[in-house]
Amino acid sequence: QVQLVQSGAEVKKPGASVKVSCKASGYTFTSYDINWVRQATGQGLEWMGWMNPNSGNTGYAQKFQGRVTMTRNTSISTAYMELSSLRSEDTAVYYCARGWGAAAAAFDYWGQGTLVTVSS
Amino acid sequence: QSALTQPPSASGSPGQSVTISCTGTSSDVGGYNYVSWYQQHPGKAPKLMIYEVSKRPSGVPDRFSGSKSGNTASLTVSGLQAEDEADYYCSSYAGSNDYVFGTGTKVTVL
């Protein structure tokens, strides 16, 4: 069965970087895009960007350009999202999600989420 | 890219229907038939309920249906059940490999 398993919770200081991993299993990792979505406590979902695990091509939401980097290691079927210059507003649960269907616009499987807390 | 607009809340009694709207622009909802809907229970990851405006993934009850007219998409939940109480989010392809989510709607089963 398809699974996306994310790394554990992180606590970071303002200005630091965080790198969250997302390990895929149950399907061919290079056949589907991986998207990253975040959700601050009590707030809505916010799309951050996508990565094609086959080519390594990426696309980032304008809000995060220059601060986010999405990479992958195909040998271990794992995607990574690194966010730099962290500030308190980046405190949120970060999800990876598989893109599926036409335009890969449907996110059909999600990771369990990784809580990133930014605090001095 | 601005978030798609959803009503903050909606409610209905068990067995009734509730419809949630999702309003965007001609650059996202109105421009593509790539609207999805997600259900999220507290503390859980979102779950795909509708994709490509009106298609249901395997395992999603046919009580859930989607439609679109112009720049507004809608999700209807018929025959409301207690387990349908959750937050619902729409999303849309917005061109150039960009995606945007809605502001979210809390559905309460009275």
Side-chain angles (χ1 to χ4, degrees):
Chain A
Q1 72 284 20
V2 174
Q3 277 193 305
L4 297 175
V5 178
Q6 299 182 220
S7 48
E10 303 262 14
V11 179
K12 296 292 182 181
K13 293 194 182 302
S17 297
V18 68
K19 191 171 186 177
V20 179
S21 68
C22 171
K23 183 172 177 59
S25 62
Y27 73 100
T28 302
F29 177 62
T30 50
S31 294
Y32 298 87
D33 291 350
I34 291 288
N35 292 264
W36 290 89
V37 177
R38 76 177 187 179
Q39 184 173 38
T41 303
Q43 302 301 308
L45 301 173
E46 182 174 33
W47 180 77
M48 299 179 68
W50 64 273
M51 180 193 64
N52 181 311
N54 185 47
S55 63
N57 288 345
T58 56
Y60 305 137
Q62 190 170 10
K63 174 177 179 176
F64 298 102
Q65 285 186 7
R67 274 211 308 146
V68 70
T69 305
M70 296 176 187
T71 58
R72 87 290 191 211
N73 183 332
T74 56
S75 67
I76 56 172
S77 300
T78 299
Y80 303 93
M81 186 282 299
E82 184 170 20
L83 188 63
S84 62
S85 302
L86 289 169
R87 35 212 189 224
S88 58
E89 309 90 88
D90 294 318
T91 294
V93 175
Y94 289 76
Y95 294 100
C96 60
R98 190 179 81 163
W100 173 77
F107 303 160
D108 62 342
Y109 287 93
W110 295 65
Q112 81 276 20
T114 296
L115 175 61
V116 174
T117 302
V118 182
S119 174
S120 55
Chain B
Q1 192 64 243
S2 298
L4 308 175
T5 301
Q6 297 180 232
S9 63
S11 63
S13 300
Q16 289 187 330
S17 294
V18 65
T19 296
I20 304 166
S21 62
C22 168
T23 301
T25 69
S26 57
S27 297
D28 38 62
V29 174
Y32 308 93
N33 287 324
Y34 299 141
V35 175
S36 302
W37 288 90
Y38 301 87
Q39 177 191 66
Q40 186 180 35
H41 287 110
K44 301 294 188 182
K47 175 186 176 183
L48 178 66
M49 305 301 284
I50 296 287
Y51 68 99
E52 291 171 27
V53 176
S54 60
K55 300 178 181 179
R56 278 187 310 276
S58 174
V60 172
D62 60 7
R63 302 184 293 104
F64 292 85
S65 62
S67 62
K68 190 186 87 166
S69 177
N71 296 338
T72 299
S74 298
L75 172 73
T76 297
V77 186
S78 306
L80 267 174
Q81 299 182 4
E83 59 262 36
D84 299 332
E85 184 161 298
D87 293 327
Y88 290 83
Y89 294 91
C90 60
S91 75
S92 176
Y93 182 66
S96 302
N97 291 316
D98 276 354
Y99 303 89
V100 61
F101 280 98
T103 50
T105 298
K106 180 176 180 60
V107 169
T108 301
V109 180
L110 301 171

